[in-house]
Amino acid sequence: MGSQFGFRKGTAAEDAIFKLTNEILNALNNKLMTSSFFCDLEKAFDSVNHDILLSQLQYYGISGKAKLLLESYFQNRYQRVHITNSYFNSNTAAKWTKIKCGVPQGSILGPLLFLVYINNLCRAMEHKALPILFADDTSLLLTNPNNTQMQSDLNIVFEQLNNWFKSNSLFFLILTKLI
């Protein structure tokens, strides 16, 4: 989780910005071209696939009773929206709906479970790009001295990024691609 700066004690948005800026400056000082993808995940916490997350937890050594406890944490959960309007002295509630994916927002476990879920993105990208993540915002920095190779690497990383998000049931919006 060395490239993840959100939801971790002792890290802040400034740390992620410093890392990104420092890496760009180092590349420029070494006369390398730099290029970046800046992505924002749509409804990241709500999109976490429980089966994939449980598989990730097992990969990180969570098994036995701990895994069963987390499985029960996701099973048979329901939610609804309840609106109280004090001006009209009325209450409105939607029907209860079973939750099929996502981690509970506002919970202590939610951010940790999301970090576990997205952590392998760093492993998937690190051979061609430097991933820098802050919570659900993803930056990928590429450097190369050769323009042709940079273009090739950009295409490869974009395809890998797209495939990783699809296979993990997450949707992203590319905010910027800088060359």
Side-chain angles (χ1 to χ4, degrees), residues 119-143:
N119 191 52
N120 70 352
L121 171 63
C122 296
R123 287 194 319 271
M125 296 291 129
E126 65 190 357
H127 67 281
K128 287 277 185 197
L130 173 67
I132 300 171
L133 290 73
F134 183 81
D136 65 340
D137 295 319
T138 303
S139 302
L140 294 169
L141 180 67
L142 292 85
T143 59

Side-chain angles (χ1 to χ4, degrees), residues 27-97:
L28 294 174
N29 285 337
N30 291 313
K31 300 191 182 340
L32 297 172
M33 291 184 292
T34 61
S35 185
S36 296
F37 290 102
F38 297 95
C39 308
D40 185 36
L41 296 178
E42 294 181 10
K43 299 184 179 184
F45 275 60
D46 295 334
S47 301
V48 171
N49 179 297
H50 295 161
D51 293 331
I52 294 171
L53 176 58
L54 290 168
S55 173
Q56 287 286 357
L57 288 166
Q58 189 164 354
Y59 174 81
Y60 289 112
I62 306 297
S63 61
K65 289 184 180 181
K67 185 175 181 232
L68 290 173
L69 179 66
L70 288 168
E71 283 177 3
S72 72
Y73 185 66
F74 296 124
Q75 294 173 345
N76 298 316
R77 291 184 72 95
Y78 290 82
Q79 70 180 12
R80 71 177 179 168
V81 176
H82 187 262
I83 300 171
T84 301
N85 185 329
S86 59
Y87 184 75
F88 290 111
N89 196 24
S90 66
N91 292 313
T92 305
K95 289 173 54 176
W96 287 99
T97 305

Side-chain angles (χ1 to χ4, degrees), residues 6 18 25 27 37 56 59 73 76 80-81 84 93 98-99 101 109 133-134 149 153 159 163 167 171 178:
F18 176 80
L25 290 174
F37 290 102
Q56 287 286 357
Y59 174 81
Y73 185 66
N76 298 316
R80 71 177 179 168
V81 176
T84 301
K98 188 171 186 175
I99 298 172
C101 60
L109 280 180
L133 290 73
F134 183 81
Q149 188 60 47
D153 289 350
E159 186 175 334
N163 289 339
S167 67
F171 301 96
L178 299 175

Side-chain angles (χ1 to χ4, degrees), residues 112-169:
L112 175 64
L113 292 171
F114 182 76
L115 288 182
V116 168
Y117 191 74
I118 199 167
N119 191 52
N120 70 352
L121 171 63
C122 296
R123 287 194 319 271
M125 296 291 129
E126 65 190 357
H127 67 281
K128 287 277 185 197
L130 173 67
I132 300 171
L133 290 73
F134 183 81
D136 65 340
D137 295 319
T138 303
S139 302
L140 294 169
L141 180 67
L142 292 85
T143 59
N144 202 299
N146 180 291
N147 185 42
T148 304
Q149 188 60 47
M150 175 65 87
Q151 292 298 323
S152 175
D153 289 350
L154 282 168
N155 291 330
I156 290 167
V157 167
F158 180 75
E159 186 175 334
Q160 289 174 334
L161 186 66
N162 194 34
N163 289 339
W164 188 91
F165 282 119
K166 279 183 183 177
S167 67
N168 286 279
S169 303

